[in-house]
């Protein structure tokens, strides 16, 4: 029996379930107990039915016994929860035994072959409730272990951070930073698991944003601190360092507040209202008017519409909104007011009685109001997405960052001031873009991500300027130059994240956003695992930074390949190359998540297996490309085969790396490093190959189209812009030609239509 997750909450409202792990573990138990107690209320049961109920009771009892054994093992390993866990386990075992006893009915001695299903049904229900309550407590206690582990790791990270901030000796700094790096690696893995396991999507988005800050700030902290130690009397270096430490502390506090579900200080501020949520609320209020019994004060609807219109001022007041777009937004706002007034007028005058004609008139008014407000949302979405697309294209040239690097390296203070103004202007544009995107994001988690992007650009902009000022004062300082490069890389990385965010917002609007698979992270006792866990190896700071950098580069390439694949998909391409491109992009993204301590890849063995699958997909893509090349001319075939051979070589190198046998921490790290580098090379080749394939595919289509020979009786056809004016001698043939000419088809589809045309002509 399928049981939804909402069933779990009904049994004990006092036990709040916050993670998917706990919920998914409870659902099978809920299903079995529901089957047990929801039988029809008959006094007698057949032998077959009684035996079935008995088997369910025994299954529940056996599962509880195994579950309790695991819980007791966890209690033995965690003394602080031992007493509570032991009590909960005893209650669960007692309830499981009670259910087994209630369902254990002897049917052999009944003369009519019937028996009483439960002699004490109330006792069964009571035992079932006690079982669910105690099992839930066991799971939540186990979940507390994870929370305490994260809290303990957070305290160690903060302690190292405090020591780093006040260190004055470079040798001492290196020693403490090495320890800090190890603690950050552990913290990243623990919080990554927790993030994936959270049920609340808003908390998950906040956690992802905070962890992203920690990931990027770790490298900034290293170079900013080294610069400050190298130039202790430089004010800009000190400002740069303080901003990084402040940002890291904010991110650490944000993570721990989400994990422990506590709130302090400014984090209790309400999230800004978005147009999307206001329009959604307005539409819901309008549609509720269909119910004759519904009573809604007119002022509520008018107030909600006023709130929507106030939010549109962020668009109409923006300097980046075009004049025509601004006029259309204002026009739609005015039209929505008119439609609402018409609706309220009809609804008010016909509240006492409602004929069929009145009901139809009201329905028409509701549909018109909803249609206009939906059109307003569409226009706002187009404005925000269009602005974001244009700005991201402008930012991709990196000219401002290049100028800042050059001016700072040459020690030109005046030129740097001008470049800083240009960066500030670019930052303000990006902040405006993030604000507008937040309005149309369509989901609260994406709204949170937009707010995070806005805050990130707000902080990184001044950080780049302070790092550049330090280099301007010390042009020959290598560490000051490295520090500036790190902050510029962080800016570019955030731009890449913004590209991904924009794609997600478009996918949500178009209804094509795929659901992410659930992830579970409950603690398991080592004594009861089917397979022995592999001990994790801690990476030092340099190794972690190396993997993080490679991971970010891989993420950008995977995003680029995914964008190209989606472009092919929008052109209605039906080809294995499209499928392989999307599949390899997804596999590469999971490898990137491994470098962050997230995703389904938990150990290096998981990573190696994923890389092997990735290389096999690459070889299959090469086979598809070779098959496609047979449709090309010699020169074009040589172009595609050159890239295909390069792809095959990269996949072969990746496969060789996977098969390497290594031992020891250093050797394993080198293998992982080489493997990710090889994966990056494969994706870089694909990023060049897919646009070439798209170009050549277009040529193949044109060539096939030119092979059509239209008979003389159809060669002089003229098609009016009005479909009613068309006079065609052969509707069947013209239908095929119109369909072929108006739709971008793959090569196989074209050949199929050519065969259809030939068949028609022969008839």
């Amino acid at each position: 029996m399928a049981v939804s997750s909402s069933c779990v909450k009904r049994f004990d409202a006092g036990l709040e379930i916050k993670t998917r792990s706990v919920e998914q573990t409870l659902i099978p138990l809920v299903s079995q107990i529901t089957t047990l107690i929801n039988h029809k209320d008959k006094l007698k049961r057949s032998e077959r039915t009684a035996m079935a109920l008995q088997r369910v009771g025994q299954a529940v009892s056996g599962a509880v016994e195994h579950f309790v054994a695991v819980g007791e093992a966890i209690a033995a390993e965690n003394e602080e929860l031992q007493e509570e866990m032991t009590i909960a386990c005893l209650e669960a075992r007692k309830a499981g035994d009670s259910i087994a006893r209630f369902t254990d009915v002897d049917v052999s001695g009944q003369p009519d072959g019937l028996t009483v299903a439960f002699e004490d049904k109330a006792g069964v229900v009571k035992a079932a409730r006690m079982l669910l309550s105690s099992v839930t407590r066991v799971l939540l206690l186990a979940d507390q272990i994870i929370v305490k582990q994260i809290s303990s790791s957070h305290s160690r990270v903060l302690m190292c951070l405090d020591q780093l901030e006040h260190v004055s000796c470079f040798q001492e700094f290196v020693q403490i930073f090495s320890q800090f790096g190890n603690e950050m690696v552990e913290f990243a893995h623990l919080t990554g698991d927790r993030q994936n396991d959270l049920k609340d999507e808003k908390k998950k988005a906040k956690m992802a944003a905070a962890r992203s800050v920690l990931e990027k700030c770790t490298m900034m902290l290293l170079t900013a601190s080294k610069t400050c130690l190298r130039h202790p009397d430089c004010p800009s270096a000190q400002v740069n360092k303080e901003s990084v430490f402040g940002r890291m502390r904010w991110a650490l506090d944000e993570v721990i507040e989400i994990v422990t579900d506590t709130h302090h200080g400014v984090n209790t501020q309400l999230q800004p209202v978005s147009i999307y949520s206001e329009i959604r609320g307005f539409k819901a209020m309008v549609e509720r008017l269909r119910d004759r019994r519904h009573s809604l004060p007119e002022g509520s609807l008018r107030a909600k519409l006023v709130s929507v219109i106030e939010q549109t001022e962020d668009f109409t007041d923006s300097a980046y909104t075009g004049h025509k777009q601004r006029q259309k937004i204002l026009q739609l706002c005015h039209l929505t007011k008119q439609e609402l007034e018409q609706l309220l007028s009809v609804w008010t005058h016909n509240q006492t009685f409602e004929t069929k004609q009145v009901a139809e008139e009201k329905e028409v008014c509701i549909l018109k109001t909803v249609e206009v407000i939906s059109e307003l949302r569409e226009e706002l979405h187009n404005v925000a997405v269009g602005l974001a697309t244009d700005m991201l294209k402008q930012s991709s040239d990196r000219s401002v960052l290049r100028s800042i690097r050059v001016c700072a390296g040459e020690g030109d203070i005046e030129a740097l001031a001008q470049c800083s103004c240009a960066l500030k202007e670019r930052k303000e544009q990006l902040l405006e873009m993030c604000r507008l995107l937040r309005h149309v994001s369509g989901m609260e988690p994406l709204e949170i991500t937009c707010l995070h992007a806005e805050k990130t650009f707000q902080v990184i902009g001044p950080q780049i300027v302070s790092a550049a000022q330090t280099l301007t004062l010390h042009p020959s300082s290598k560490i000051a130059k490295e520090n500036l490069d790190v902050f510029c890389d962080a800016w570019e990385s955030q731009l890449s994240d913004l590209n991904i965010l924009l794609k997600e917002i478009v996918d949500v609007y178009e209804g094509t956003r795929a659901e992410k698979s659930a992830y579970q992270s409950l603690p398991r006792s080592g004594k009861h695992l089917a397979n022995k866990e592999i001990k994790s190896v801690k990476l030092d700071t340099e190794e972690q930074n190396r993997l993080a950098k490679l991971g970010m580069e891989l993420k950008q390439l995977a995003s680029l390949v995914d964008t190209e694949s989606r472009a092919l998909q929008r052109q209605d391409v039906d080809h294995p190359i499209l499928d392989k491109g999307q599949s390899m992009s997804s596999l590469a993204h999971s490898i990137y998540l491994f470098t962050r301590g997230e995703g389904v890849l938990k150990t290096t063995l998981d990573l190696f297996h994923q890389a092997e699958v990735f290389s096999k997909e690459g070889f299959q893509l090469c086979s598809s490309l070779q098959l496609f090349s047979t449709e090309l001319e010699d020169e074009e075939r040589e172009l595609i085969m050159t890239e295909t051979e390069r792809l095959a070589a990269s996949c072969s190198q990746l496969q060789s790396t996977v098969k390497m046998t290594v031992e020891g921490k250093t050797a394993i790290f080198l293998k992982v490093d080489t493997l990710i580098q090889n994966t990056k090379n494969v994706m870089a080749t694909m990023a060049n190959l897919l646009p070439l394939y798209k170009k050549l595919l277009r040529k193949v289509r044109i060539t096939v189209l030119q092979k059509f020979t239209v008979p003389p009786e159809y060669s002089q056809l003229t098609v009016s812009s009005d479909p009613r004016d068309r006079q065609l001698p052969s509707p069947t043939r013209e239908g095929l030609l119109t369909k072929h000419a108006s739709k971008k088809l793959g090569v196989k589809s074209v050949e199929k239509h050519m065969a259809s045309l030939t068949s028609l002509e022969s008839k």
Side-chain angles (χ1 to χ4, degrees):
M1 177 184 292
V3 180
S4 66
S5 60
S6 61
C7 295
V8 177
K9 298 178 182 178
R10 291 199 297 265
F11 288 92
D12 195 335
L15 299 175
E16 184 182 357
I17 298 171
K18 302 175 184 177
T19 60
R20 298 184 189 278
S21 306
V22 174
E23 183 178 85
Q24 294 301 317
T25 305
L26 281 174
I27 285 177
L29 181 60
V30 173
S31 177
Q32 289 178 319
I33 291 178
T34 303
T35 303
L36 192 63
I37 65 177
N38 282 357
H39 64 281
K40 294 179 182 179
D41 294 326
K42 292 182 180 179
L43 293 177
K44 297 287 187 177
R45 288 291 181 189
S46 68
E47 180 179 351
R48 182 178 178 183
T49 303
M51 292 298 293
L53 290 172
Q54 187 177 32
R55 285 194 296 271
V56 173
Q58 290 172 349
V60 170
S61 179
V64 169
E65 187 61 37
H66 174 73
F67 178 84
V68 166
V70 177
E72 288 173 343
I74 292 175
E77 297 170 2
N78 298 271
E79 293 183 3
E80 67 277 9
L81 297 176
Q82 190 169 12
E83 184 178 354
E84 292 179 78
M85 183 74 83
T86 301
I87 293 172
C89 287
L90 286 173
E91 288 183 3
R93 180 179 280 119
K94 181 180 178 181
D97 292 342
S98 297
I99 289 176
R101 187 175 64 256
F102 282 126
T103 56
D104 187 12
V105 180
D106 184 11
V107 296
S108 58
Q110 301 296 330
D112 56 357
L114 298 177
T115 184
V116 177
F118 297 132
E119 293 184 358
D120 184 6
K121 184 177 178 180
V124 174
V125 174
K126 182 179 179 181
R129 290 186 178 278
M130 189 173 91
L131 176 61
L132 282 174
S133 178
S134 57
V135 167
T136 303
R137 281 202 299 276
V138 170
L139 290 170
L140 294 180
L141 285 170
D143 190 63
Q144 284 185 27
I145 297 171
I146 298 293
V147 173
K148 290 185 178 182
Q149 287 176 349
I150 296 175
S151 298
S152 177
S153 178
H154 170 263
S155 299
R156 293 194 298 271
V157 170
L158 269 182
M159 185 173 64
C160 290
L161 197 65
D162 290 338
Q163 293 174 345
L164 282 174
E165 189 171 17
H166 300 98
V167 72
S168 57
C169 170
F170 190 80
Q171 185 177 0
E172 184 184 358
F173 170 80
V174 171
Q175 183 180 358
I176 297 174
F177 192 84
S178 177
Q179 181 184 355
F180 172 76
N182 291 332
E183 298 295 349
M184 279 297 298
V185 169
E186 181 180 354
F187 188 70
H189 281 287
L190 289 172
T191 54
D193 288 344
R194 190 66 177 182
Q195 175 189 320
N196 290 325
D197 198 25
L198 287 171
K199 284 176 56 184
D200 190 323
E201 293 296 328
K202 292 191 291 184
K203 288 183 178 180
K204 186 179 290 189
K206 289 181 180 179
M207 178 84 86
R211 293 182 70 248
S212 177
V213 170
L214 291 174
E215 177 187 355
K216 293 171 183 176
C217 280
T218 300
M219 192 62 187
M220 296 178 188
L221 186 143
L222 173 63
T223 56
S225 298
K226 287 167 66 177
T227 303
C228 215
L229 287 171
R230 179 68 181 83
H231 308 288
D233 298 328
C234 182
S236 57
Q238 187 65 35
V239 169
N240 187 253
K241 173 187 168 184
E242 289 174 356
S243 68
V244 175
F245 275 90
R247 187 74 168 145
M248 285 204 76
R249 283 197 173 89
W250 170 85
L252 287 167
D253 290 344
E254 182 78 0
V255 168
I256 207 64
E257 285 181 12
I258 295 167
V259 170
T260 59
D261 201 21
T262 56
H263 303 282
H264 303 288
V266 295
N267 289 316
T268 58
Q269 291 180 354
L270 295 176
Q271 184 177 325
V273 178
S274 70
I275 287 179
Y276 164 75
S277 59
E278 290 293 285
I279 288 178
R280 181 178 57 184
F282 176 77
K283 287 170 67 176
M285 292 172 71
V286 169
E287 289 172 345
R288 281 200 296 269
L289 294 178
R290 288 191 174 99
D291 187 357
R292 288 182 58 190
R293 296 165 297 178
H294 181 70
S295 176
L296 182 70
E298 297 178 20
S300 299
L301 266 171
R302 291 193 179 98
K304 178 63 75 171
L305 182 57
V306 168
S307 178
V308 170
I309 294 173
E310 285 177 354
Q311 296 299 319
T312 63
E313 292 175 0
D314 285 350
F315 289 78
T316 55
D317 293 347
S318 174
Y320 307 106
T321 303
H323 177 69
K324 291 183 179 179
Q325 294 172 322
R326 183 178 292 107
Q327 291 301 315
K328 187 172 182 180
I329 292 170
L330 294 172
Q331 181 183 2
L332 288 170
C333 288
H334 180 67
L335 190 57
T336 306
K337 283 183 181 179
Q338 289 182 333
E339 294 295 345
L340 177 62
E341 291 302 323
Q342 178 65 23
L343 170 61
L344 291 175
S345 176
V346 171
W347 185 76
T348 303
H349 288 101
N350 299 282
Q351 231 179 337
T352 53
F353 64 92
E354 186 170 318
T355 65
K356 182 178 179 181
Q357 182 179 356
V358 170
E360 290 177 353
E361 185 180 2
K362 186 176 77 171
E363 180 65 21
V364 169
C365 290
I366 290 173
L367 291 175
K368 283 185 177 180
T369 306
V370 170
E371 182 182 0
V372 174
I373 199 70
S374 298
E375 191 176 348
L376 174 61
R377 187 202 166 193
E378 180 181 3
E379 181 62 24
L380 296 172
H381 173 84
N382 292 337
V383 170
V385 170
L387 173 65
T389 303
D390 293 340
M391 284 189 177
L392 288 173
K393 285 181 180 178
Q394 293 175 11
S395 300
S396 63
D397 61 5
R398 306 175 181 177
S399 57
V400 176
L401 296 181
R402 279 199 300 267
S403 300
I404 287 178
R405 281 168 164 156
V406 170
C407 295
E410 294 175 351
D412 192 337
I413 297 178
E414 294 182 0
L416 177 62
Q418 295 177 356
C419 293
S420 299
C421 290
L423 180 66
K424 183 179 179 181
E425 182 179 350
R426 182 64 56 85
K427 181 195 74 174
E428 293 300 326
Q429 292 175 350
L430 291 170
L431 294 180
E432 182 80 1
M433 179 190 70
C434 291
R435 281 192 287 270
L436 298 187
L437 281 179
R438 177 183 59 79
H439 276 301
V440 301
S441 58
M443 291 179 66
E444 288 184 323
L446 293 181
E447 290 181 26
I448 292 168
T449 308
C450 290
L451 286 170
H452 161 68
E454 182 181 345
K455 180 64 176 177
T456 300
F457 283 118
Q458 185 76 48
V459 172
I460 290 184
Q463 287 177 330
I464 291 175
V465 173
S466 60
Q469 289 171 344
T470 303
L471 181 58
T472 306
L473 296 174
H474 307 278
S476 59
S477 174
K478 292 182 180 180
I479 184 56
K481 181 180 182 303
E482 181 186 355
N483 187 46
L484 177 59
D485 288 341
V486 166
F487 283 96
C488 290
D489 289 344
W491 176 282
E492 292 177 0
S493 172
Q494 188 58 45
L495 286 175
S496 176
D497 290 346
L498 207 52
N499 269 301
I500 296 172
L501 174 61
L502 176 61
K503 185 179 69 175
E504 286 194 57
I505 290 173
V506 172
D507 287 346
V508 168
Y509 182 77
E510 295 177 352
T512 58
R513 187 172 188 256
E515 292 295 326
K516 297 180 180 178
S517 58
Y519 178 80
Q520 300 181 15
S521 66
L522 273 178
R524 302 285 191 266
S525 171
K527 301 175 185 179
H528 297 275
L529 284 174
N531 298 315
K532 187 177 178 181
E533 285 188 347
I534 299 173
K535 288 186 177 180
S536 59
V537 177
K538 288 188 177 182
L539 303 179
D540 60 33
T541 306
E542 185 178 352
E543 291 170 341
Q544 180 66 17
N545 291 335
R546 166 74 177 168
L547 286 186
K549 184 178 180 181
L550 282 176
M552 290 303 299
E553 293 170 354
L554 179 60
K555 175 188 175 184
Q556 293 173 10
L557 288 169
S559 176
L560 182 59
V561 169
D562 187 56
T563 301
E564 292 292 341
S565 299
R566 286 174 177 270
L568 287 169
Q569 191 176 35
R570 285 194 295 269
Q571 293 180 14
D572 197 25
V573 174
D574 181 17
H575 203 285
I577 292 172
L578 169 64
D579 297 333
K580 293 302 175 189
Q582 291 178 328
S583 174
M584 294 180 71
S585 173
S586 176
L587 291 170
H589 186 73
S590 65
I591 293 175
Y592 152 71
L593 291 177
F594 174 82
T595 66
R596 292 189 55 171
E598 299 177 12
V600 295
L601 306 181
K602 296 288 124 187
T603 67
T604 52
L605 289 181
D606 295 337
L607 176 67
F608 299 154
H609 175 71
Q610 184 89 323
E612 187 175 9
V613 174
F614 180 83
S615 64
K616 288 178 180 178
E617 292 281 310
F619 283 126
Q620 291 175 11
L621 176 59
C622 291
S623 300
S624 299
L625 288 168
Q626 287 174 349
L627 183 62
F628 171 72
S629 68
T630 59
E631 303 173 13
L632 304 175
E633 301 295 336
D634 292 343
E635 184 177 348
E636 295 167 344
R637 185 184 301 115
E638 185 178 349
L639 281 174
I640 199 75
M641 287 308 298
T642 300
E643 292 296 329
T644 303
E645 289 169 3
R646 188 175 300 165
L647 177 62
S650 298
C651 291
S652 178
Q653 193 172 9
L654 176 61
Q655 203 169 59
S656 300
T657 304
V658 172
K659 293 179 179 178
M660 289 171 51
T661 303
V662 296
E663 292 183 2
K665 175 190 170 185
T666 304
I668 291 175
F669 168 75
L670 289 175
K671 179 176 177 178
V672 171
D673 180 79
T674 307
L675 184 146
I676 296 175
Q677 182 66 54
N678 291 340
T679 306
K680 196 183 81 168
N681 294 340
V682 172
M683 295 304 290
T685 305
M686 286 185 63
N688 294 327
L689 199 151
L690 287 180
L692 175 62
Y693 163 70
K694 184 167 62 175
K695 177 182 175 183
L696 295 178
L697 180 62
R698 193 180 298 115
K699 282 190 175 183
V700 170
R701 286 172 169 172
I702 294 172
T703 303
V704 174
L705 283 172
Q706 290 172 347
K707 291 181 181 180
F708 279 100
T709 55
V710 181
E713 61 266 28
Y714 300 105
S715 60
Q716 300 301 321
L717 284 177
T718 58
V719 182
S720 169
S721 59
D722 188 348
R724 295 172 295 181
D725 296 336
R726 297 184 183 179
Q727 300 296 329
L728 305 177
S730 175
T732 306
R733 179 180 177 83
E734 178 57 19
L736 284 172
L737 287 172
T738 304
K739 183 177 181 181
H740 173 76
S742 64
K743 191 175 182 182
K744 298 179 180 179
L745 299 171
V747 176
K748 292 181 180 179
S749 301
V750 173
E751 291 173 348
K752 180 179 178 182
H753 282 270
M754 287 177 67
S756 302
L757 287 170
T758 306
S759 175
L760 284 171
E761 288 173 359
S762 65
K763 293 179 181 179

